[in-house]
Amino acid sequence: MKPVISYLLMSFFLLTSYSCHKEEDIILNSDGAIVKQPALWSTSLSKDKLLSYNMGVSIIYDNQVLTMGAEAGLKGGISISGVGNDYLLMKDLTDGRDLWKWDDQWSTAESGDIPFVYQYNQYLTYTNGSRIYGIDLSTGQTLWKKQDMEQYDLRPLGLGTSYFVTADIKDDNPYWEYAIFEGDMRTGKQELVVYPKYQSLYKAKPGPVFKYCHLAMPFLQNQDTLLSIVYQEVFEPAPPYPYTDRVQNYLALYNKTQKAWVYDRIVFTEPGVSEVLDGVPILSDGLIYHSINRTITCHEVLTGKLVWKRTFGGNFLFSGFIKVGNKILANNEGTYLYALNAQTGGDLWQVKSPGTCTRMQELNGVVYYVGGGDGLLYAVDSDTGTVYWKIVSPDKKSDSRAFFYNMCSVAPGINGGKGKVIVSSGLNAFCYEAVR
């Protein structure tokens, strides 16, 4: 019996020591937020001490997380910190090991963050300028790629294996003129869906003004596919510089199945300069939410009726907003994170934030993001605004540039366990155990 007792005592001692060691590694600030916590794993993103660009969206597939890596000079592209090549890099969520990399871009200088994608199961589609790609996340292989438009909007949206994009279709026109296209994620086969009902009332001299369609959010209503569309026209042109025109945005709803407009040209904003729709809208419970400059709006999607709108001290261009339960969480670049009632727009709580941040991700009632102003990893309770984390990048000790930036991905736990939060310093990817 003595050997067994000794073994059990030794096992207990080792487990206790390990637990104490983990607690010693956790450091809190004066407000009770964790600023240091051991990572479950960290693995390299850079082969040559270059800082990689990053994924601006959370891409999780089959216990894997999509990141971006960098290495010197393979194709002459430009990394965020020097001459190099940036590529998509899939990592195993269990231990962070590399599974595949993808660097099949059209252009050797096509480096940069990828702020928006559309993912459906193993299929991923994203755009970059005049280029569009289809990638198989299970293998890292290119399914298709095209250079077929003058310019794509950055934000592909989708429904099942169909993706929807807006793109400039006038190659010979120096001003944008966008239409809506549908494509198959598996093959890249793409066709024109509809051209917004621009009225072309205003003309710039010597040529036409631009006509821009921001995006088309697809959804099913009964058996029909509908597209909620936001587009804009010039209200007062200021030639010869189209970017100084005063523009007006309109909200429309198109029934793709019936090939008919449900409603059109509902005034979305008053005329102004640079009235650009931010991010991707959220469609939930018959309501659609948008952010444009300093304003968040909520409309009935089937009627276009305005339910509420709120204007803030800063905009939402980089940070955006998300819906968690009955709340809209919006990180305003005037340095506050707001929680709003999703039905009324009323305030629920607000907490100081670092201004800009990555796109927020929610997991089990906790919102995660990386601060653009301070490079810290935040975890905030969506019900109360309690700040659990302000974690500092471990790589800042060796490289002052290697703070967390541009990436925050979350993965749900397995078999009731806690989830995972994955961030990047540009040199390494770090995986942390989620709050819940």
Side-chain angles (χ1 to χ4, degrees):
M1 290 297 292
K2 286 184 179 180
V4 175
I5 293 173
S6 298
Y7 174 77
L8 292 174
L9 288 173
M10 185 175 294
S11 299
F12 174 79
F13 174 76
L14 289 173
L15 288 171
T16 304
S17 300
Y18 176 71
S19 176
C20 290
H21 176 70
K22 286 186 69 177
E23 296 217 353
E24 287 174 2
D25 283 343
I26 295 176
I27 299 176
L28 282 68
N29 65 11
S30 59
D31 296 323
I34 293 174
V35 296
K36 179 184 177 183
Q37 175 173 303
L40 296 175
W41 52 258
S42 63
T43 59
S44 177
L45 297 172
S46 172
K47 293 186 178 179
D48 301 286
K49 297 184 178 179
L50 298 173
L51 298 181
S52 69
Y53 283 94
N54 279 318
M55 294 296 301
V57 287
S58 178
I59 302 298
I60 304 294
Y61 172 72
D62 193 25
N63 202 39
Q64 303 163 37
V65 59
L66 193 59
T67 65
M68 293 187 76
E71 54 194 3
L74 287 182
K75 297 195 298 184
I78 301 174
S79 76
I80 199 170
S81 58
V83 176
N85 176 47
D86 288 272
Y87 47 85
L88 297 182
L89 182 63
M90 185 68 92
K91 288 183 175 287
D92 190 295
L93 264 175
T94 303
D95 54 17
R97 72 182 187 276
D98 296 348
L99 298 175
W100 53 256
K101 77 174 188 177
W102 180 89
D103 61 351
D104 191 23
Q105 301 94 337
W106 277 104
S107 169
T108 58
E110 200 179 310
S111 299
D113 297 310
I114 299 177
F116 302 105
V117 303
Y118 174 57
Q119 177 194 359
Y120 180 74
N121 295 334
Q122 75 267 37
Y123 305 112
L124 182 141
T125 296
Y126 82 95
T127 68
N128 188 323
S130 63
R131 302 164 291 274
I132 185 167
Y133 299 96
I135 302 169
D136 188 335
L137 294 176
S138 65
T139 62
Q141 299 299 306
T142 303
L143 294 171
W144 50 269
K145 60 180 183 178
K146 297 187 293 182
Q147 289 191 99
D148 60 344
M149 294 291 169
E150 183 71 14
Q151 182 80 18
Y152 279 101
D153 187 277
L154 280 173
R155 298 161 291 191
L157 301 174
L159 192 63
T161 55
S162 290
Y163 68 84
F164 293 85
V165 290
T166 66
D168 181 8
I169 63 173
K170 301 293 185 183
D171 292 344
D172 57 347
N173 185 352
Y175 298 92
W176 293 336
E177 192 165 340
Y178 274 59
I180 299 164
F181 296 82
E182 178 183 7
D184 189 314
M185 298 184 76
R186 298 161 295 187
T187 64
K189 183 180 179 182
Q190 186 172 290
E191 61 184 10
L192 176 68
V193 173
V194 68
Y195 195 64
K197 295 173 71 174
Y198 304 112
Q199 290 191 354
S200 303
L201 297 177
Y202 302 97
K203 301 291 183 181
K205 297 176 181 180
V209 297
F210 76 91
K211 305 162 187 175
Y212 185 71
C213 184
H214 290 284
L215 42 76
M217 168 66 77
F219 65 97
L220 293 176
Q221 179 70 18
N222 299 323
Q223 300 299 315
D224 291 354
T225 298
L226 277 65
L227 301 174
S228 180
I229 299 167
V230 176
Y231 66 97
Q232 70 180 204
E233 288 190 85
V234 169
F235 181 76
E236 290 179 354
Y241 308 107
Y243 298 107
T244 61
D245 292 337
R246 292 183 70 209
V247 298
Q248 187 161 358
N249 287 276
Y250 299 95
L251 182 65
L253 184 64
Y254 181 72
N255 188 317
K256 173 181 170 291
T257 305
Q258 303 294 331
K259 297 183 179 180
W261 293 93
V262 180
Y263 59 81
D264 184 39
R265 298 186 71 82
I266 290 179
V267 174
F268 192 76
T269 60
E270 296 302 318
V273 176
S274 300
E275 292 292 316
V276 178
L277 196 70
D278 305 332
V280 174
I282 293 173
L283 178 60
S284 177
D285 299 325
L287 301 176
I288 189 162
Y289 304 85
H290 299 85
S291 63
I292 182 165
N293 291 341
R294 298 181 298 115
T295 300
I296 293 178
T297 65
C298 173
H299 292 82
E300 292 180 354
V301 71
L302 293 180
T303 67
K305 177 184 176 183
L306 178 66
V307 179
W308 59 261
K309 71 176 180 179
R310 290 283 307 274
T311 299
F312 298 83
N315 62 42
F316 301 90
L317 178 61
F318 298 102
S319 307
F321 65 97
I322 60 174
K323 187 171 185 286
V324 181
N326 193 38
K327 295 178 289 296
I328 295 293
L329 269 64
N331 190 54
N332 183 265
E333 289 163 21
T335 69
Y336 280 97
L337 171 63
Y338 293 92
L340 310 175
N341 183 297
Q343 271 67 48
T344 67
D347 291 320
L348 297 175
W349 54 257
Q350 67 183 57
V351 65
K352 198 77 172 175
S353 81
T356 61
C357 76
T358 58
R359 299 288 164 176
M360 293 176 285
Q361 308 295 332
E362 183 268 338
L363 187 64
N364 297 326
V366 178
V367 176
Y368 300 90
Y369 58 88
V370 169
D374 55 21
L376 304 179
L377 171 59
Y378 283 74
V380 181
D381 190 288
S382 66
D383 286 328
T384 65
T386 300
V387 179
Y388 297 122
W389 290 356
K390 290 186 178 181
I391 296 178
V392 181
S393 166
D395 284 342
K396 280 196 68 179
K397 291 181 180 179
S398 58
D399 190 329
S400 62
R401 306 167 303 163
F403 44 80
F404 293 138
Y405 62 92
N406 289 12
M407 176 184 175
C408 183
S409 297
V410 299
I414 299 174
N415 297 325
K418 290 185 178 181
K420 295 178 179 179
V421 183
I422 306 91
V423 287
S424 166
S425 71
L427 296 178
N428 293 285
F430 294 85
C431 176
Y432 294 97
E433 184 178 69
V435 174
R436 299 179 186 137

